Amino acid sequence: MKKYPSIPLQRYREYPVEEMRQRLSDFYNDVDRRRTVREFSDRPVPRDIIETALKAANTAPSGANLQPWHFVVVSCPETKKKIREAAEVEEREFYEHRASEEWLAALEPLGTDSNKPFLETAPYLIAVFLQKFGELPDGRKVKHYYPTESTGLATGILVTALHTAGLATLTHTPSPMKFLNEILARPTSERPFLLLVAGYPADDAKVPDIKRKSLHEYSSFIDE
Ligand code: IYR
């Protein structure tokens, strides 16, 4: 394949260290307010907000810059209903049979169950698909590299972008999610990665009182 032409690094910005600290602490304090929400309002959200959040997601680094993801944005009530019904079938199977005792015990403090009304209430469901292969205009297949890592990175940016916009999200992962390919007419070369529920939280939304680990628990530094 032909090499890309090299161009100057045009839009990079370096900040004086004090400004670096301030910007980063503002960013941290802002993302630290993010909570996963399970109760959504049906208030509409302008579509351009979702589009800009997707553009932010699409800036994620990806294996060989192949951008191995596809986002299906669903606001159509009938399609949301179909997704809810199919997800609840899988979730009932999960909670009643498939989940191990250990897994159910891990979920108990969160109080989740197989009812997923938010899949119909929230204004947007964003189905994130991971593309194992891409397709050239002539129909030839192109292998994608690190699609899981890449799609995870893009999804992280999407969640952060929606939070920055003042919206709440829920990363929902019914398992298996094959039904999303059927309902949303996506090819078998794409694997459903997760279903992101997005909108305003319900006025009376409640969240579990959870804590985040502290820096020294989730990181270590090796100096000289
Ligand atoms: N997919 C199920 C179960 C579930 C699993 C994990 I791991 C969670 O963090 C939360 C829920 C559900 O959505 O209820």
Side-chain angles (χ1 to χ4, degrees):
M1 283 235 277
K2 242 177 94 218
K3 198 170 180 301
Y4 295 118
S6 265
I7 55 165
L9 177 64
Q10 275 158 343
R11 294 166 74 197
Y12 168 77
R13 285 193 211 159
E14 178 178 320
Y15 303 103
V17 171
E18 254 331 290
E19 191 181 342
M20 186 189 261
R21 282 203 179 92
Q22 188 59 52
R23 290 175 65 97
L24 192 53
S25 91
D26 290 348
F27 178 75
Y28 164 63
N29 287 322
D30 198 52
V31 292
D32 189 39
R33 292 186 303 99
R34 188 198 59 77
R35 290 300 312 264
T36 286
V37 157
R38 291 190 166 75
E39 292 150 309
F40 283 84
S41 157
D42 61 1
R43 267 168 73 201
V45 169
R47 172 188 295 240
D48 67 287
I49 297 292
I50 304 297
E51 288 178 358
T52 307
L54 291 175
K55 287 188 192 173
N58 197 63
T59 66
S62 65
N65 187 36
L66 292 169
Q67 301 160 55
W69 45 67
H70 185 87
F71 302 96
V72 182
V73 181
V74 182
S75 60
C76 156
E78 294 94 276
T79 309
K80 288 196 284 183
K81 186 163 192 277
K82 279 191 202 161
I83 292 175
R84 176 187 178 175
E85 285 168 359
E88 287 182 340
V89 167
E90 296 301 351
E91 295 292 18
R92 277 194 292 275
E93 187 58 28
F94 172 82
Y95 283 95
E96 287 162 24
H97 306 289
R98 208 175 314 118
S100 63
E101 285 304 315
E102 191 182 17
W103 195 340
L104 290 177
L107 290 177
E108 208 175 322
L110 293 174
T112 56
D113 61 33
S114 58
N115 277 338
K116 305 296 173 194
F118 50 76
L119 294 176
E120 283 191 81
T121 322
Y124 290 107
L125 305 181
I126 307 176
V128 182
F129 287 88
L130 169 169
Q131 299 179 324
K132 292 174 279 185
F133 295 92
E135 222 175 84
L136 293 173
D138 65 7
R140 269 183 303 149
K141 287 197 184 312
V142 186
K143 185 172 162 43
H144 283 164
Y145 303 97
Y146 299 101
T148 312
E149 292 82 350
S150 306
T151 307
L153 287 160
T155 303
I157 296 177
L158 180 58
V159 167
T160 308
L162 291 167
H163 168 74
T164 296
L167 296 173
T169 54
L170 165 62
T171 45
H172 182 49
T173 51
S175 169
M177 283 190 275
K178 202 77 201 135
F179 64 84
L180 287 175
N181 288 75
E182 282 138 41
I183 297 174
L184 303 174
R186 298 308 303 169
T188 51
S189 55
E190 294 185 2
R191 172 161 73 75
F193 185 70
L194 59 76
L195 190 55
L196 194 67
V197 184
Y200 293 101
D203 289 337
D204 56 353
K206 292 220 168 28
V207 291
D209 186 12
I210 54 172
K211 301 275 172 290
R212 295 193 163 100
K213 291 180 181 174
S214 61
L215 181 68
H216 75 271
E217 290 177 276
Y218 60 79
S219 63
S220 17
F221 293 73
I222 301 177
D223 298 315
E224 295 180 51

